[in-house]
Amino acid sequence: MSASVCVCVTGWHFPIAFYERMSKLVGVDVFVVSHQPKHHIPDAIYDVIAEDHVLIYANYGYDWGCYQQFLETDIWRDYVYCVFMHDDVRILRDDFIDAAIALLSGDIVLVGNGRNSTRQDWAYHYPWLYAHASWIPSSRDFLYDTVRGSFFVMATTTIETMGQFEVMWDRFHLSMRFGNWSLGASSAKLHHLFGMPCFAFLSNVYLQSDYLLEDVRGGDGEPRQGRWETVVYKLHRKLCKTYAELYQADDLSVPQRWLQGWLRWIIRFMSDVPHGVRTP
């Protein structure tokens, strides 16, 4: 019997125990999208995950980039549900996917692990998060929940309606913080399409549930930005904030429309990368 669930795992740390456990799940096909080159992937991984299920791409979009690169393969179209998760998540119970799918009903179109935050006014405080996206909130009063990229589940019919994740592709590898831009813009877009609330969680506790424990990234083990990258990132964030404010404004003057068009070109240039090209 064919599987009804596919899992897209962000391959980065490659703990063999995680992949061994995932490979034993019934009714689930596991695919790995790696941003590590092939020579960094342990040979033991291929003992539990078929080699043609390991897809290697250049890292321009971090975890949400992995997920969008997977969507562009169209593999998910052969399944009913799609799971997205990191490979440093600690699995506590093997029925975590079933538990999440059970919550996908009515208005709920996405289920995460631990609730990311009770905050919903992201558009007011972080207007730059959406400047790169295909959909931008028309007002800073737009409210929505967010989900961490560590783990979430969606029906493939939801993915079909969504079209794509709103990934901020980091052309110049300026900052992993762009991953949070992708998180915010993608979460906002889903609430625009499906209404509020449309997210549910296995737990209201940050990073954890009875099923999974998430890791926190961005600490001492992660590469740090150099001075040049930090300056350019902050400048780009300011330009994106200005663009979003112009987008949400009414009755722009001619100079403001010119500025808006110039900023749109800059933003597209910064994120215009061949992210869909597989690497050997």
Side-chain angles (χ1 to χ4, degrees), residues 134-174:
S134 65
W135 179 82
I136 301 174
S138 59
S139 167
R140 292 178 70 168
D141 294 328
F142 184 79
L143 300 177
Y144 65 96
D145 291 317
T146 58
V147 64
R148 297 186 81 240
S150 300
F151 172 84
F152 60 94
V153 181
M154 305 168 71
T156 54
T157 53
T158 299
I159 297 174
E160 183 73 43
T161 301
M162 177 187 69
Q164 65 180 28
F165 292 119
E166 298 299 327
V167 178
M168 175 59 198
W169 302 104
D170 189 359
R171 180 176 188 172
F172 299 105
H173 301 286
L174 296 177

Side-chain angles (χ1 to χ4, degrees), residues 5-80:
V5 179
C6 65
V7 180
C8 171
V9 176
T10 297
W12 187 257
H13 302 282
F14 291 104
I16 187 60
F18 169 87
Y19 287 98
E20 287 176 340
R21 193 160 184 178
M22 291 295 297
S23 70
K24 295 175 182 177
L25 298 179
V26 177
V28 174
D29 287 343
V30 179
F31 297 86
V32 181
V33 177
S34 173
H35 280 167
Q36 297 276 24
K38 187 171 183 179
H39 65 270
H40 281 181
I41 301 175
D43 292 339
I45 296 298
Y46 295 106
D47 293 333
V48 293
I49 304 295
E51 187 167 359
D52 61 353
H53 282 209
V54 179
L55 315 175
I56 303 174
Y57 290 89
N59 185 11
Y60 290 109
Y62 311 109
D63 52 348
W64 290 83
C66 277
Y67 300 153
Q68 180 57 31
Q69 287 163 331
F70 180 72
L71 292 191
E72 292 176 8
T73 68
D74 285 338
I75 291 171
W76 56 273
R77 295 183 183 276
D78 294 329
Y79 299 86
V80 180

Side-chain angles (χ1 to χ4, degrees), residues 3-5 13 43 82 89 122 126-127 148 171 191 202 209 217 227 241 256 258 263 277:
S4 63
V5 179
H13 302 282
D43 292 339
C82 189
V89 169
W122 304 99
Y126 305 96
R148 297 186 81 240
R171 180 176 188 172
H191 283 78
L202 294 173
S209 70
R217 281 151 293 279
R227 183 176 180 182
K241 180 176 183 290
Q256 286 176 320
W258 179 87
L263 290 173
V277 178

